[in-house]
Amino acid sequence: MKENEIDRSRREFLRRLGLGAGSAMALMAMSPIDTLATGLTPDKRKEGAKDENHMTYRVQHGSGEKISLLGFGMMRLPNDQEQVNELVDYAMEHGVNYYDTAPMYMGGQSEVLTGNALSRHSREKFFVATKMSNQNRRLWSFEESKAMYEKSMERLKVDYIDYYLLHSIGGGMETLKGRFLDNGVLDFLLKEREAGRIKHLGFSYHGDVSDFDWLLDHHEEYHWDFVQIQMNFLDWRHASLRGGRRVDADAEYLYDKLEKLGIQCVIMEPLRGGAFGRMAQELTNQLRAVHPDDSTARWAFRWVGSYPNVLTTLSGMNRMDHLKENVETFSPLDPCTEKENQLLADIADQMSGFPTIPCTTCSYCMPCPYGVDIPGNFAYYNEAVNSHVLPLPAPTDANYAERRQLFMDGYHKALPDEATWAKSCQDCEVCLSKCPQQIRIPNQMARIVETLRRRRA
């Protein structure tokens, strides 16, 4: 593509985002090449290389590396190496070159499966991301954390890591200091980046916004290369109410602060843990009225990809049909129009009024010491809300008994083992510190128990 053609495509992209001339010029000045690039195979990782595939790429600031806008999240892989190999091979063939894992995913098995699958390809064909997952206090020592880092290298079968993250920042300053600052772990990782064994260093943010602000306020000291945030069209302006308490960390705030600092975003939970696939039917119908054949997942990915400071968008793809649909969505990406953005904002406003539980089914809270299936309980409760079984009508209403029975029958079908029911919760609070969404899990379990117990007076 010639330079004038690149400029035209860039201007068209910015126009579709609804940005004015001043904003367009500012974004164009951020990089000498197109913010939205297509036609690059994963092994041709620098600017200027092309071929026939249509995957959309973004340019990593400073390095000039081309990163596929669709990233492969490796948290929920099938526990079968051949299946993982098939998924990775298809992704590679269709331009996906960013693969995200962590030591805690699948108890370390994710790194093993990922490493085995990726090692069958040339090292120049992929970027691998993993994390310092030392959330457990017993892993806070320098020795334990360093061992985790070295074990990741071994499992992934690499001698350098492209993208390395401080995992799940947001537990408060005491936790941040204990995990990374007072023990010398962050200083060690900075030296590893200087030595080239880490190419890009960042962090993933999940909770207390004071941690996020503190790390960015020290950007001149640490020089963060990227930050991973949860961003989707619901969390853009409604995330601050998740978990039943205000955390002042809507995705709009996170994204805007990173953009101002010139730090690119890696996006997690673009589908909010699959919640968009279970939206109320009347909301889905609003989207189908515009694009009858598009899934809600495609809408959500198009929305996220429309933001130019997004480097890549992670999707946990453990099925080939999901992988193929997502590849198609990003090959190339068709950014949302201004009207489409407004429609999604309106739908988000409507969704925020539903009393759902903001669980993304990440299962970080599991296992429960008392056997409660926490994600399973929350998934069924949310399904009941979205299908209008909940909230139950007043006990005096004529259809109260029918609706209550419908809720109970569905609950028993979704959770056939009584030991996994919400009533088994003992309010031990072991799960609280593990939940990235800050959900008061025992409180929500009590809510479900109360709903099951409600009877006509």
Side-chain angles (χ1 to χ4, degrees), residues 213-347:
D213 288 339
W214 189 91
L215 289 173
L216 293 188
D217 289 344
H218 290 76
H219 176 49
E220 289 189 7
E221 180 180 352
Y222 300 127
H223 300 288
W224 304 111
D225 298 302
F226 69 105
V227 173
Q228 187 165 305
I229 60 173
Q230 178 168 317
M231 178 171 144
N232 51 66
F233 65 83
L234 179 57
D235 285 330
W236 185 247
R237 292 203 175 131
H238 297 290
S240 61
L241 297 178
R242 68 180 180 224
R245 70 182 185 87
R246 188 153 195 93
V247 295
D248 295 322
D250 289 335
E252 182 180 28
Y253 171 83
L254 306 176
Y255 178 89
D256 286 350
K257 185 160 187 173
L258 290 168
E259 186 176 42
K260 288 174 184 176
L261 291 171
I263 303 172
Q264 290 165 293
C265 308
V266 171
I267 303 304
M268 57 185 165
E269 301 295 353
L271 307 182
R272 224 179 194 242
F276 294 152
R278 302 184 295 272
M279 290 196 316
Q281 190 63 48
E282 66 266 27
L283 301 183
T284 303
N285 289 343
Q286 293 178 48
L287 298 178
R288 287 179 176 166
V290 180
H291 294 298
D293 298 327
D294 282 3
S295 66
T296 52
R298 179 164 293 187
W299 275 93
F301 283 128
R302 289 179 58 226
W303 182 89
V304 169
S306 297
Y307 285 85
N309 197 47
V310 170
L311 181 63
T312 191
T313 306
L314 301 177
S315 177
M317 300 173 285
N318 54 15
R319 287 171 41 179
M320 186 61 75
D321 57 331
H322 291 168
L323 173 58
K324 288 181 176 180
E325 179 183 340
N326 293 349
V327 164
E328 182 182 339
T329 298
F330 285 91
S331 300
L333 180 82
D334 180 22
C336 286
T337 65
E338 187 175 348
K339 286 184 177 180
E340 289 171 335
N341 281 332
Q342 186 58 57
L343 172 60
L344 291 171
D346 292 342
I347 287 175

Side-chain angles (χ1 to χ4, degrees), residues 89 134 185 191 273 290 325 340 371-372 384 434:
D89 289 351
N134 60 349
V185 168
K191 290 177 182 176
V290 180
E325 179 183 340
E340 289 171 335
V372 178
K434 301 177 182 179

Side-chain angles (χ1 to χ4, degrees), residues 338-368:
E338 187 175 348
K339 286 184 177 180
E340 289 171 335
N341 281 332
Q342 186 58 57
L343 172 60
L344 291 171
D346 292 342
I347 287 175
D349 289 342
Q350 295 173 68
M351 290 181 72
S352 69
F354 294 158
T356 52
I357 299 167
C359 174
T360 66
T361 65
C362 70
S363 296
Y364 284 10
C365 57
M366 297 294 285
C368 166

